[in-house]
């Protein structure tokens, strides 16, 4: 049995000599740029934020933690991962280097279905043991909330197993985990050629059962020509809404299916990938308050050339999040900071956009905007101290794992 990570100590007290990242905090008393700040934590929650020379007397006697003049940001939020799966697919990496397209690999029995076979063959304990090192890589970089999808089980038994593993990972590491049911990720082999029958099974049997077991926080669909149609997506969303579950969508990754507009009609939390997002989709997302989740790791791995419509999203003020999309096929990425760098370098996001993308906009994509992604009084204590003075350094450096101090759910998870 994998031992839970023992938190080193309680984070309660005054965190002094901090420099707060612009736009990622709300202070009780204004903090000027460069002014040393203090964050006060009591019973695991932030109770005050402001200049360290104006800490209220009521907190003066609390233990002091030295922030070391470091940059403080909210805990990072990885809002789109397929972190739980069996095996790996390095062989496909080699196949694509030899010229096979992602769709050709899928048609040759590789792709998602090969991970399905490996996931079905693995026990719950084996999936935990395989996922923990991947989760620890992300946690070491200050992730304090993460979304974990199913979608490699594609049956009641194995989708349940994936979602149970996701819940257990959160408990083992004391990290906020939001689970997303992605039963409509691919057609399982036993339903080859019978897509509608499988979607009926997903909507009638699998989703209601797992929702009743409290395993589902949101529902997602891979809406794409090599996956599920708009009509099938609509059916899954109708079933989700009937169960009171919010939805999100893998939308417009390889083509424009107008999936984002459909998702927005259902008040989707987010539409993700969106390289082929249309003006109509942007307007629909804007009107619905749906977050655009950018996944530069998949874009990079697939050597995609179709950039998401960043200028259009920016002009429409659609919140943009950035995530690893960690999965064994198109984005075996284990660094959210690298994704911030790639969002700037490949997608031309500004540094403030990229940092909001891995904190407050990512929190919104999970419905966690009131408790994650911002340093402010009244929220659980989830923040990171970086060996940096300027926020731009978080997107500038890449390929390293900065030695950071992580406060996660009110404990010092990494000193
Ligand atoms: N789009 C993707 O890029 C991943 N899933 C999806 O809907 C691919 C997942 C995999 O290849 O295992
Ligand atoms: Fe994905």
């Amino acid at each position: 049995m994998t031992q839970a990570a023992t938190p080193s100590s309680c984070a309660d007290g005054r965190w002094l000599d901090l420099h707060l990242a612009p736009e990622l905090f709300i202070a009780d008393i204004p903090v000027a740029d460069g002014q040393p700040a203090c964050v006060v934590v009591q019973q695991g929650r932030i109770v005050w934020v402001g200049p360290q020379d104006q800490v209220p007397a009521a907190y003066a006697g609390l233990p002091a933690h030295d922030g070391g003049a470091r940059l403080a940001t909210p805990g990072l939020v990885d809002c789109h991962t397929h972190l739980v799966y069996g095996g790996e697919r390095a062989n496909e990496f080699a196949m694509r280097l030899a010229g096979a397209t992602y769709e050709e690999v899928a048609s040759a029995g590789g792709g998602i279905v090969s991970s399905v076979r490996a996931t079905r063959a693995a026990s719950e304990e084996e999936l935990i043991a395989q996922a923990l090192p991947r989760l620890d890589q992300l946690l070491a970089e200050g992730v304090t909330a993460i979304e974990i999808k199913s979608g490699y089980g594609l049956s009641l038994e194995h989708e349940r197993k994936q979602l149970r593993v996701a819940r257990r990972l959160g408990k083992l590491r004391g990290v906020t985990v939001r689970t997303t049911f992605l039963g409509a990720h691919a057609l399982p082999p036993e339903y080859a050629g019978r897509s509608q029958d499988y979607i009926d099974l997903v909507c009638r049997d699998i989703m209601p059962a797992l929702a009743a077991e409290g395993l589902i926080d949101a529902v997602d669909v891979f809406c794409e020509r090599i996956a599920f149609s708009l009509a099938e997506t609509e059916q899954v969303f109708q079933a989700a809404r009937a169960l009171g579950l919010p939805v999100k969508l893998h939308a417009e990754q390889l083509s424009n299916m107008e999936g984002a507009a459909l998702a927005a009609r259902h008040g989707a939390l987010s539409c993700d990938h969106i390289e082929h997002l249309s003006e109509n989709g942007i307007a629909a997302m804007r009107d619905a308050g749906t977050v655009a989740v950018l996944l530069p790791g998949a874009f990079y791995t697939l050597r995609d050339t179709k950039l998401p419509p960043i200028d259009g999203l920016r002009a429409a003020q659609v919140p943009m999040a950035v995530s690893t999309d960690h999965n064994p096929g198109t984005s075996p990425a284990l660094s959210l900071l690298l994704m911030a760098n790639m969002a700037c370098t490949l997608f031309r996001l500004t540094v403030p956009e990229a940092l909001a993308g891995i904190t407050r906009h990512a929190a919104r994509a999970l419905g966690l905007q009131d408790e994650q992604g911002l340093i402010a009084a009244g929220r659980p204590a989830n923040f990171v101290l970086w060996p940096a003075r300027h926020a731009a350094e978080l997107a500038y450096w890449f390929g390293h794992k900065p030695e950071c101090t992580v406060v996660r759910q009110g404990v010092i998870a990494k000193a």
Side-chain angles (χ1 to χ4, degrees), residues 82 89 102 112 152 185 222 250 253 273 298 325 327-330:
H82 308 251
R89 290 178 13 222
Y102 179 57
I112 295 171
Y152 291 117
H185 191 197
F222 184 16
H250 279 71
Q253 177 182 4
H273 284 288
D325 187 18
N327 73 76
T330 66

Side-chain angles (χ1 to χ4, degrees), residues 179-353:
T179 60
T180 297
F181 173 68
L182 180 59
H185 191 197
L187 205 52
E190 65 273 22
Y191 277 86
R194 295 190 295 130
S195 188
Q196 185 56 58
D197 290 346
Y198 176 66
I199 290 296
D200 291 344
L201 174 79
V202 163
C203 296
R204 186 193 58 235
D205 301 339
I206 302 177
M207 196 195 313
L210 299 182
E213 295 170 30
L215 288 172
I216 302 176
D217 295 319
V219 175
D220 187 356
V221 177
F222 184 16
C223 180
E224 191 53 70
R225 56 181 183 229
I226 59 168
F228 295 98
S229 68
L230 273 180
E232 291 165 334
T233 301
E234 173 69 25
Q235 185 179 341
V236 173
F237 281 2
Q238 294 271 359
R241 305 288 299 286
L243 292 166
L245 296 169
V247 298
K248 49 180 60 238
L249 190 65
H250 279 71
E252 276 69 272
Q253 177 182 4
L254 306 174
S255 65
N256 176 22
M257 305 266 292
E258 289 299 328
L262 184 150
R265 285 198 295 276
H266 286 277
L269 290 169
S270 70
C271 289
D272 303 35
H273 284 288
I274 57 171
E275 278 82 358
H276 292 261
L277 182 66
S278 67
E279 286 297 325
N280 175 55
I282 292 174
M285 288 173 69
R286 175 201 61 213
D287 296 346
T290 298
V291 176
V293 177
L294 305 171
L295 303 172
F299 177 92
Y300 166 79
T301 302
L302 296 174
R303 301 176 68 226
D304 200 342
T305 55
K306 181 74 173 69
L307 289 168
I310 301 300
D311 291 342
L313 290 164
R314 187 180 285 137
Q317 297 185 315
V318 173
M320 294 185 278
V322 177
S323 173
T324 61
D325 187 18
H326 178 86
N327 73 76
T330 66
S331 190
L334 287 171
S335 170
L336 190 52
L337 288 179
L338 174 58
M339 298 302 110
N341 171 276
M342 291 166 79
C344 295
T345 302
L346 298 177
F347 291 173
R348 316 314 289 167
L349 260 60
T350 65
V351 167
E353 286 172 336

